[in-house]
Amino acid sequence: LGSIFDKKERLKRITSYLTTTLNKKNDQNDCLNAVELCKSDLVSHMVYELPELQGTMGRYYLEKEIKAGKSDCSNTVAQAIEEHYWPRFSGDNAPQNSVGAIVSLADRFDTIVCCFQNKQIPTGSQDPLGVRRALFGTFKIIIEHGFQCDIPAIIDETYAILAKDATNKDKCLDFIEQRLKGYLQDNSDLDYDIIAAVIPIALKDIKQALHIGKTLQDLKTNEATTFKQLIESGVRTIRIT
């Protein structure tokens, strides 16, 4: 997959795609500036000695450049450099601004696709490259920022940008679907059968799927007879057709 520079070049293209599809063109310049600099602090001795400061040091370095008048970047870009690693663990905050959120999504989608492309697929409790963590962070960002993300389309675009044979793409999409089910089970009040019903929608728009799921859940809870009739009618129609 090449160097960090190669990853950065891929992130530029994924970020451009995301800002367009998410209707965030106004953020595109800041997003691309953040991508250009977000991995630069990895070569510093500070991050070499203390890896947990990745991103944090990048923010400090850029803020110093901005203050000295040596950079035209905004403080939003500096904030995004730190926050594109967020959430770093379960319960951590998502990026606070949309620039950091978009760059974080680009970084995570690239990581996920690259792992599946190279057959580094999580199995059981084994997930050395943190694919599950990257996915859960992706879902959290999408939900908290209200992004309408067509996840299969983004995966297709990321594979295309990688410019290799699309190895394990179907497995990647299946893995994402299963993890999304698990995430919604843990982070929503929806029953398992309701989640299973809205997953095809959630893969393209999680916010809409949660709205539909809540409507179905309320109907199931408060109008049990009507809900049963609705299910029976749907099943009968499917069998006939």
Side-chain angles (χ1 to χ4, degrees), residues 28-240:
Q28 189 171 72
N29 285 339
D30 279 345
C31 286
L32 292 176
N33 284 335
V35 167
E36 188 69 39
L37 298 169
C38 68
K39 304 299 183 184
S40 297
D41 64 347
L42 296 181
V43 299
S44 69
H45 288 292
M46 179 66 78
V47 175
Y48 179 81
E49 291 293 336
L50 300 167
E52 64 272 18
L53 291 180
Q54 63 180 6
T56 302
M57 293 312 302
R59 177 178 185 169
Y60 290 159
Y61 291 140
L62 181 56
E63 286 177 342
K64 184 176 180 180
E65 293 289 292
I66 293 171
K67 189 174 181 180
K70 297 179 180 179
S71 174
D72 294 330
C73 290
S74 66
N75 286 315
T76 299
V77 174
Q79 182 180 348
I81 289 173
E82 178 178 22
E83 294 184 357
H84 89 282
Y85 287 108
W86 296 7
R88 295 156 294 187
F89 48 83
S90 178
D92 194 17
N93 294 325
Q96 300 301 300
N97 63 50
S98 58
V99 175
I102 290 170
V103 176
S104 182
L105 288 178
D107 194 20
R108 290 164 193 274
F109 279 118
D110 180 74
T111 295
I112 292 162
V113 166
C114 286
C115 286
F116 275 83
Q117 171 69 33
N118 282 273
K119 302 177 184 178
Q120 300 293 325
I121 302 173
T123 56
S125 61
Q126 300 299 310
D127 188 12
L129 300 179
V131 176
R132 291 191 185 93
R133 184 173 66 249
L135 258 181
F136 288 150
T138 298
F139 302 147
K140 182 180 179 71
I141 291 167
I142 291 172
I143 292 170
E144 291 197 7
H145 282 268
F147 290 151
Q148 184 179 343
C149 282
D150 186 336
I151 294 176
I154 297 171
I155 294 297
D156 285 343
E157 182 68 17
T158 306
Y159 265 103
I161 289 169
L162 195 56
K164 295 177 180 288
D165 292 337
T167 304
N168 291 320
K169 184 193 285 188
D170 289 342
K171 288 184 179 180
C172 181
L173 291 170
D174 288 343
F175 184 82
I176 290 172
E177 180 176 331
Q178 293 306 313
R179 298 283 75 74
L180 182 53
K181 283 182 181 178
Y183 185 88
L184 294 180
Q185 287 170 28
D186 293 338
N187 295 278
S188 74
D189 297 325
L190 303 180
D191 292 346
Y192 177 81
D193 55 344
I194 300 293
I195 292 173
V198 301
I199 277 294
I201 300 169
L203 287 168
K204 296 179 179 292
D205 188 342
I206 297 178
K207 183 178 179 181
Q208 182 189 26
L210 288 173
H211 175 71
I212 293 172
K214 185 179 184 305
T215 302
L216 286 174
Q217 186 79 56
D218 291 344
L219 183 63
K220 179 183 178 182
T221 303
N222 301 319
E223 301 288 344
T225 301
T226 303
F227 186 78
K228 185 172 182 293
Q229 292 171 343
L230 175 66
I231 298 299
E232 289 172 349
S233 300
V235 170
R236 178 172 171 77
T237 302
I238 291 169
R239 286 176 176 166
I240 291 172

